[in-house]
Amino acid sequence: MSWKDEIDELRKRQALTRAMGGPEKLERQRAAGRLNVRERISLLSDEGSFREIGSIAGTASYDEDGNLTGLMPANCVFGRAKVRGRDVVLVADDFTVRGGAADAAIVEKQIQAEAMARDLRLPIVRLIEGTGGGGSVKSILDMGATYVPFNPAWDLVVENLETVPVVSLLLGPVAGLGAARAVSSHYSVMVHGQAQMFVAGPPVVAGIGEDVTKEELGGADIQLAAGAVDDAFASEAEAMEAARWFLSYLPNSVHELPARTTPSDDPARTDPALSAIVPRDKRYAYDMHAILASTMDKGSVFEMGRNFGQSVITAFARLDGWPVAVIASNPKVYGGGWTAESAQKLIRFIDLAETFRLPIVHFVDIPGFVIGTRAERAGTIRHGARALAALYQASVPMCAIIVRKAFGVAGAAMMNHTGFRYRYAWPSGDWGSLPLEGGVEAAFKAALETAEDPAAMKAELSRQMRAFSSPFKTAERFWVEEIIDPAETRPLLTEFARLSAPLRERGDKKPRYRP
């Protein structure tokens, strides 16, 4: 006895679901310049590696004799795949079926995708397009009632942030619960001109009197500047390559450690150009990205969130093959001063490093918090204090390189000073409670106001203080541990990566990660 008829029925149903929303909807997707859900899965995953789960889930129709006449697939496709040889969970919205809004099967499929990532301890990549939520207002007519809202699988979404790498690719318009899923990630990416993200789309926003296009409301430039997403690229292929690169630095879950790759760069390499990269005139900036490129393994620097909180650079990189998290001041923006936005960016990045046990390298040039009325209205000190708390709560090994300035509360946030201070300073180091510029006036305000020649007194006080502000004076008292030739920074950092590698511990206690 054979089950051929049933197997034929299975193949028939699978063919119907692979037709997605049908020729007209597929053509509309193509005309909009967007790939369909199955093209996306093929583009991201290794050839032939995708194994779908729930391949015939959907809404079926039958004739009077009970024969299948049609099958509209669920607009969530998920399963296992390999990405660069590595097992991951892929879950993707099909915009050609009800614009990605939920139907009877999508909720359970999303739940199972998140549960699969958690239980099998695998990274999850979400390909998001649509709302991914409870459907539209029209669904009231289908259900015959309204319901109290809930967020499907949100316990799993939150748990996965503390357990496995989570990546979201926004590949078209994304709203509502779809937007919440997108930002509840360790790394989120949009496609310029193709993807938009909003709490509610233009038709709903028109109800409050705002007449805007999708791009004006939630285009990539807006969301990048707001820090709601991390990166944006010109094409879906580039966005997917960024996702692959991001995942390469992380383990499958917190139950493993980030893997070392085969070293391809001399760990003892020095760079004499670094000894002259910082200008003597403090009014001039320099290229921190060039310092990162020189000291990290060649070609390994992967920057995240470059459009938000731009006075701070956050990146993954490798040192002699070991993956590390890198924080660096950007003196070209606010002189490297901390803003409310850069503090928020730091909190999330430090939490990411702590979650997946990545040692932190911090290149420091912090003149303090950015000041002024705008900074006060942004609550800079509140966000800055939260960033300081995140740094002191982190338990991963840290190494600080003081490149130039370190002033005030923000400057003190280079590392947790209560343990061993794995720290080096360049001869260009300049530190204190306040910079001399402006600090003299604040400290000697009363004396300057009564002086016969305030300008002369200020100049003399500045001269005296400058004589004591040499980093060598600080090193004499062991208030800074070691001053180094900048050219020798890389060998010292590769040594840090080697020494800290055994200190990384798999943790049963899950760190708290918030999107």
Side-chain angles (χ1 to χ4, degrees):
M1 179 179 176
S2 170
W3 293 90
K4 181 178 180 304
D5 291 345
E6 285 78 6
I7 294 171
D8 288 343
E9 177 71 9
L10 171 64
R11 300 304 182 212
K12 174 184 175 181
R13 289 172 179 258
Q14 288 175 331
L16 288 171
T17 57
R18 286 178 183 145
M20 294 168 277
E24 182 180 340
K25 295 289 183 64
L26 287 170
E27 175 55 30
R28 186 182 301 175
Q29 184 85 349
R30 187 198 65 77
R34 304 196 298 267
L35 300 177
N36 65 53
V37 65
R38 296 195 179 274
E39 290 172 334
R40 287 169 175 164
I41 290 171
S42 295
L43 181 62
L44 178 61
S45 58
D46 297 350
E47 185 176 359
S49 69
F50 181 64
R51 187 171 296 278
E52 187 174 355
I53 299 172
S55 63
I56 61 172
T59 303
S61 56
Y62 298 88
D63 61 21
E64 293 179 354
D65 297 324
N67 298 311
L68 182 71
T69 58
L71 177 58
M72 178 62 69
N75 50 16
C76 173
V77 179
F78 93 100
R80 302 182 297 276
K82 287 186 178 293
V83 173
R84 288 185 176 171
R86 177 183 189 173
D87 289 309
V88 302
V89 176
L90 287 185
V91 56
D93 299 335
D94 184 355
F95 196 75
T96 69
V97 180
R98 296 189 66 230
D103 65 8
I106 190 172
V107 172
E108 185 60 32
K109 292 183 82 172
Q110 283 187 3
I111 292 170
Q112 283 301 299
E114 299 288 338
M116 181 181 180
R118 179 198 62 184
D119 293 352
L120 297 187
R121 299 178 179 177
L122 294 176
I124 182 168
V125 180
R126 306 180 187 125
L127 307 181
I128 303 176
E129 183 178 13
T131 67
S136 67
V137 174
K138 292 180 181 178
S139 61
I140 296 174
L141 298 177
D142 299 329
M143 295 183 293
T146 58
Y147 61 89
V148 176
F150 66 98
N151 295 326
W154 217 252
D155 57 330
L156 294 169
V157 168
V158 172
E159 189 171 358
N160 280 339
L161 285 172
E162 300 173 342
T163 309
V164 299
V166 180
V167 177
S168 290
L169 304 182
L170 292 78
L171 305 174
V174 177
L177 185 59
R181 290 172 60 220
V183 301
S184 297
S185 311
H186 299 118
Y187 185 57
S188 54
V189 181
M190 295 179 74
V191 177
H192 276 294
Q194 175 177 313
Q196 301 85 29
M197 182 176 75
F198 17 70
V199 176
V204 180
V205 170
I208 63 170
E210 292 188 32
D211 185 13
V212 290
T213 66
K214 288 186 292 186
E215 195 67 20
E216 290 169 337
L217 181 61
D221 291 340
I222 290 171
Q223 300 298 0
L224 288 170
V229 296
D230 296 301
D231 282 321
F233 296 91
S235 69
E236 295 190 30
E238 290 174 275
M240 291 180 185
E241 179 57 25
R244 295 185 191 98
W245 197 4
F246 172 84
L247 289 172
S248 71
Y249 294 94
L250 299 178
N252 279 352
S253 75
V254 296
H255 302 283
E256 302 176 15
L257 293 176
R260 183 189 189 189
T261 59
T262 302
S264 59
D265 194 359
D266 181 4
R269 174 172 55 79
T270 60
D271 185 359
L274 293 183
S275 299
I277 197 169
V278 178
R280 283 191 171 274
D281 191 331
K282 299 173 186 177
R283 296 173 299 174
Y284 293 94
Y286 54 90
D287 188 355
M288 181 62 81
H289 288 93
I291 293 176
L292 300 186
S294 171
T295 55
M296 302 294 122
D297 291 358
K298 291 180 180 177
S300 73
V301 178
F302 177 79
E303 185 176 357
M304 297 170 53
R306 67 176 65 236
N307 295 92
F308 177 70
Q310 294 178 317
S311 62
V312 171
I313 298 165
T314 51
F316 289 154
R318 291 187 180 275
L319 287 166
D320 199 25
W322 294 107
V324 294
V326 179
I327 299 169
S329 305
N330 184 359
K332 293 184 177 182
V333 180
Y334 293 120
W338 279 19
T339 63
E341 292 82 2
S342 61
Q344 294 169 45
K345 177 178 177 177
L346 277 166
I347 294 166
R348 186 163 167 257
F349 190 71
I350 292 169
D351 285 351
L352 178 58
E354 177 74 0
T355 298
F356 294 106
R357 313 308 298 162
L358 288 171
I360 295 174
V361 176
H362 191 176
F363 288 86
V364 180
D365 187 354
I366 307 171
F369 291 116
V370 171
I371 59 175
T373 55
R374 183 177 178 183
E376 299 301 340
R377 291 190 183 109
T380 300
I381 192 63
R382 166 72 70 182
H383 295 291
R386 291 184 69 242
L388 192 58
L391 187 142
Y392 271 74
Q393 289 168 344
S395 62
V396 293
M398 295 187 190
C399 178
I401 306 293
I402 306 178
V403 177
R404 188 157 62 178
K405 295 180 181 179
F407 287 98
V409 175
M414 65 183 73
M415 67 189 319
N416 184 337
H417 77 286
T418 61
F420 172 65
R421 293 187 292 276
Y422 207 125
R423 179 170 63 182
Y424 299 101
W426 287 9
S428 47
D430 182 23
W431 39 64
S433 59
L434 281 173
L436 286 183
E437 300 78 13
V440 172
E441 289 93 333
F444 296 94
K445 180 179 179 182
L448 288 168
E449 286 176 347
T450 59
E452 291 184 7
D453 188 346
M457 182 180 182
K458 176 184 172 183
E460 175 59 21
L461 288 169
S462 296
R463 184 194 66 76
Q464 293 176 19
M465 290 187 176
R466 199 168 287 112
F468 292 110
S469 65
S470 164
F472 297 108
K473 295 285 187 180
T474 309
E476 287 171 6
R477 302 199 179 194
F478 198 57
W479 289 348
V480 69
E481 292 71 38
E482 189 71 10
I483 298 175
I484 63 170
D485 179 347
E488 299 170 357
T489 302
R490 174 173 165 77
L492 293 170
L493 286 178
T494 55
E495 180 185 61
F496 163 73
R498 176 177 60 81
L499 291 175
S500 63
L503 305 179
R504 303 173 306 157
E505 298 177 348
R506 304 176 184 89
D508 292 329
K509 179 184 177 183
K510 294 178 182 177
R512 177 173 292 174
Y513 181 91
R514 287 149 296 210

